[in-house]
Short mmCIF file of all heavy atoms in Angstrom, two decimals:
data_model
loop_
_atom_site.label_atom_id
_atom_site.label_comp_id
_atom_site.label_asym_id
_atom_site.label_seq_id
_atom_site.Cartn_x
_atom_site.Cartn_y
_atom_site.Cartn_z
N ALA A 64 -56.37 119.32 -15.28
CA ALA A 64 -56.83 119.42 -16.68
C ALA A 64 -56.17 120.61 -17.36
O ALA A 64 -55.77 120.53 -18.54
CB ALA A 64 -58.35 119.56 -16.71
N GLY A 131 -29.16 133.39 -18.88
CA GLY A 131 -28.14 132.36 -19.12
C GLY A 131 -27.72 132.25 -20.57
O GLY A 131 -27.41 131.16 -21.06
N GLN A 155 -66.59 116.76 -19.56
CA GLN A 155 -66.04 115.57 -20.22
C GLN A 155 -65.94 114.40 -19.24
O GLN A 155 -66.23 113.26 -19.61
CB GLN A 155 -64.65 115.90 -20.77
CG GLN A 155 -64.67 116.77 -22.01
CD GLN A 155 -63.27 117.14 -22.47
OE1 GLN A 155 -62.29 116.85 -21.81
NE2 GLN A 155 -63.19 117.83 -23.60
N LEU A 205 -53.81 106.43 -21.74
CA LEU A 205 -52.96 105.42 -22.39
C LEU A 205 -51.91 106.12 -23.26
O LEU A 205 -52.24 107.01 -24.04
CB LEU A 205 -53.83 104.51 -23.26
CG LEU A 205 -53.10 103.39 -24.00
CD1 LEU A 205 -52.57 102.35 -23.03
CD2 LEU A 205 -54.03 102.73 -25.01
N ALA A 217 -31.87 99.92 -13.56
CA ALA A 217 -31.72 99.28 -12.25
C ALA A 217 -31.11 100.24 -11.23
O ALA A 217 -31.40 100.16 -10.03
CB ALA A 217 -30.87 98.02 -12.37
N ARG A 235 -45.96 93.35 -12.29
CA ARG A 235 -46.42 92.03 -12.70
C ARG A 235 -46.87 91.24 -11.48
O ARG A 235 -46.23 91.29 -10.44
CB ARG A 235 -45.32 91.26 -13.44
CG ARG A 235 -45.06 91.80 -14.83
CD ARG A 235 -44.35 90.80 -15.72
NE ARG A 235 -44.36 91.23 -17.10
CZ ARG A 235 -45.33 90.94 -17.96
NH1 ARG A 235 -46.34 90.20 -17.58
NH2 ARG A 235 -45.27 91.36 -19.20
N ASP A 237 -47.76 87.55 -9.93
CA ASP A 237 -47.60 86.11 -10.12
C ASP A 237 -48.97 85.44 -9.95
O ASP A 237 -49.58 85.54 -8.89
CB ASP A 237 -46.63 85.56 -9.07
CG ASP A 237 -46.24 84.11 -9.37
OD1 ASP A 237 -47.16 83.33 -9.69
OD2 ASP A 237 -45.04 83.78 -9.30
N GLN A 291 -45.67 104.29 -38.71
CA GLN A 291 -44.40 105.05 -38.82
C GLN A 291 -43.48 104.79 -37.64
O GLN A 291 -42.27 104.59 -37.79
CB GLN A 291 -44.72 106.55 -38.91
CG GLN A 291 -45.39 106.97 -40.20
CD GLN A 291 -45.83 108.42 -40.18
OE1 GLN A 291 -45.71 109.10 -39.16
NE2 GLN A 291 -46.35 108.89 -41.29
N ALA A 295 -39.83 102.89 -37.72
CA ALA A 295 -38.60 103.63 -37.41
C ALA A 295 -37.88 103.10 -36.18
O ALA A 295 -36.75 103.53 -35.89
CB ALA A 295 -38.95 105.11 -37.20
N LYS A 299 -36.29 98.10 -30.92
CA LYS A 299 -36.34 98.83 -29.65
C LYS A 299 -37.57 98.40 -28.85
O LYS A 299 -38.52 97.84 -29.39
CB LYS A 299 -36.41 100.34 -29.91
CG LYS A 299 -35.18 100.89 -30.61
CD LYS A 299 -35.32 102.38 -30.84
CE LYS A 299 -34.09 102.93 -31.57
NZ LYS A 299 -34.24 104.35 -31.90
N VAL A 304 -48.07 102.40 -21.54
CA VAL A 304 -48.21 103.03 -20.22
C VAL A 304 -49.65 103.47 -20.00
O VAL A 304 -50.23 104.16 -20.84
CB VAL A 304 -47.27 104.26 -20.10
CG1 VAL A 304 -47.34 104.85 -18.70
CG2 VAL A 304 -45.85 103.88 -20.47
N SER A 323 -53.74 97.82 -35.69
CA SER A 323 -54.13 96.95 -34.57
C SER A 323 -52.93 96.70 -33.67
O SER A 323 -51.80 96.65 -34.15
CB SER A 323 -54.64 95.59 -35.10
OG SER A 323 -55.76 95.80 -35.91
N ASP A 337 -62.18 95.18 -17.57
CA ASP A 337 -62.28 96.55 -17.07
C ASP A 337 -61.38 97.50 -17.86
O ASP A 337 -61.75 98.64 -18.15
CB ASP A 337 -61.90 96.61 -15.58
CG ASP A 337 -62.97 95.97 -14.71
OD1 ASP A 337 -64.05 95.66 -15.25
OD2 ASP A 337 -62.72 95.78 -13.51
N PRO A 350 -57.65 113.69 -13.25
CA PRO A 350 -57.93 112.67 -12.22
C PRO A 350 -59.14 113.08 -11.37
O PRO A 350 -59.45 114.26 -11.23
CB PRO A 350 -56.65 112.69 -11.37
CG PRO A 350 -55.62 113.35 -12.22
CD PRO A 350 -56.33 114.29 -13.11
N ASN A 356 -67.93 108.08 -0.01
CA ASN A 356 -68.26 106.74 -0.51
C ASN A 356 -69.15 106.06 0.50
O ASN A 356 -68.71 105.65 1.57
CB ASN A 356 -66.96 105.95 -0.74
CG ASN A 356 -67.22 104.52 -1.16
OD1 ASN A 356 -68.37 104.14 -1.42
ND2 ASN A 356 -66.19 103.72 -1.21
N THR A 358 -71.81 102.97 0.95
CA THR A 358 -72.38 101.76 0.38
C THR A 358 -73.51 101.26 1.27
O THR A 358 -73.32 101.07 2.48
CB THR A 358 -71.31 100.66 0.23
OG1 THR A 358 -70.28 101.16 -0.65
CG2 THR A 358 -71.90 99.40 -0.36
N LEU A 376 -98.85 101.68 6.57
CA LEU A 376 -100.09 100.90 6.79
C LEU A 376 -100.73 101.26 8.12
O LEU A 376 -101.96 101.45 8.20
CB LEU A 376 -99.72 99.41 6.76
CG LEU A 376 -100.89 98.43 6.76
CD1 LEU A 376 -101.74 98.63 5.51
CD2 LEU A 376 -100.40 96.99 6.83
N VAL A 383 -108.05 106.04 8.76
CA VAL A 383 -109.33 105.50 8.26
C VAL A 383 -110.30 105.29 9.43
O VAL A 383 -111.49 105.66 9.37
CB VAL A 383 -109.08 104.18 7.50
CG1 VAL A 383 -110.39 103.43 7.28
CG2 VAL A 383 -108.41 104.47 6.17
N LEU A 421 -86.69 106.13 0.29
CA LEU A 421 -87.27 106.05 1.63
C LEU A 421 -87.90 107.39 2.03
O LEU A 421 -89.02 107.41 2.53
CB LEU A 421 -86.16 105.66 2.62
CG LEU A 421 -86.64 105.31 4.03
CD1 LEU A 421 -87.63 104.16 4.01
CD2 LEU A 421 -85.44 104.96 4.91
N PRO A 422 -87.24 108.53 1.78
CA PRO A 422 -87.94 109.80 2.02
C PRO A 422 -89.20 109.93 1.16
O PRO A 422 -90.14 110.61 1.56
CB PRO A 422 -86.89 110.85 1.63
CG PRO A 422 -85.59 110.17 1.82
CD PRO A 422 -85.83 108.75 1.43
N ALA A 425 -91.86 108.48 3.04
CA ALA A 425 -92.26 109.43 4.09
C ALA A 425 -93.18 110.49 3.52
O ALA A 425 -94.15 110.92 4.17
CB ALA A 425 -91.01 110.07 4.69
N VAL A 435 -106.33 113.96 4.56
CA VAL A 435 -107.32 114.00 5.64
C VAL A 435 -107.54 115.44 6.11
O VAL A 435 -108.67 115.87 6.34
CB VAL A 435 -106.85 113.12 6.82
CG1 VAL A 435 -107.75 113.30 8.02
CG2 VAL A 435 -106.81 111.67 6.39
N ALA A 458 -125.50 123.08 1.92
CA ALA A 458 -124.39 123.08 2.88
C ALA A 458 -123.12 122.49 2.25
O ALA A 458 -121.99 122.96 2.49
CB ALA A 458 -124.78 122.28 4.12
N THR A 476 -98.29 126.79 -0.93
CA THR A 476 -97.09 127.06 -0.12
C THR A 476 -96.26 125.78 0.05
O THR A 476 -95.03 125.81 0.01
CB THR A 476 -97.47 127.63 1.25
OG1 THR A 476 -98.48 126.79 1.84
CG2 THR A 476 -98.01 129.04 1.14
N LEU A 478 -96.20 123.35 -2.06
CA LEU A 478 -95.61 123.06 -3.38
C LEU A 478 -94.36 123.91 -3.61
O LEU A 478 -93.36 123.43 -4.17
CB LEU A 478 -96.64 123.34 -4.47
CG LEU A 478 -96.34 122.80 -5.87
CD1 LEU A 478 -96.18 121.29 -5.86
CD2 LEU A 478 -97.43 123.21 -6.85
N GLY A 494 -85.81 112.97 -4.02
CA GLY A 494 -86.86 111.95 -4.07
C GLY A 494 -88.05 112.35 -3.22
O GLY A 494 -89.22 112.18 -3.63
#
Side-chain angles (χ1 to χ4, degrees):
Q155 286 176 355
L205 181 68
R235 288 200 168 271
D237 190 315
Q291 291 173 356
K299 297 180 181 175
V304 184
S323 299
D337 288 351
N356 175 8
T358 299
L376 189 62
V383 166
L421 190 58
V435 172
T476 50
L478 194 59

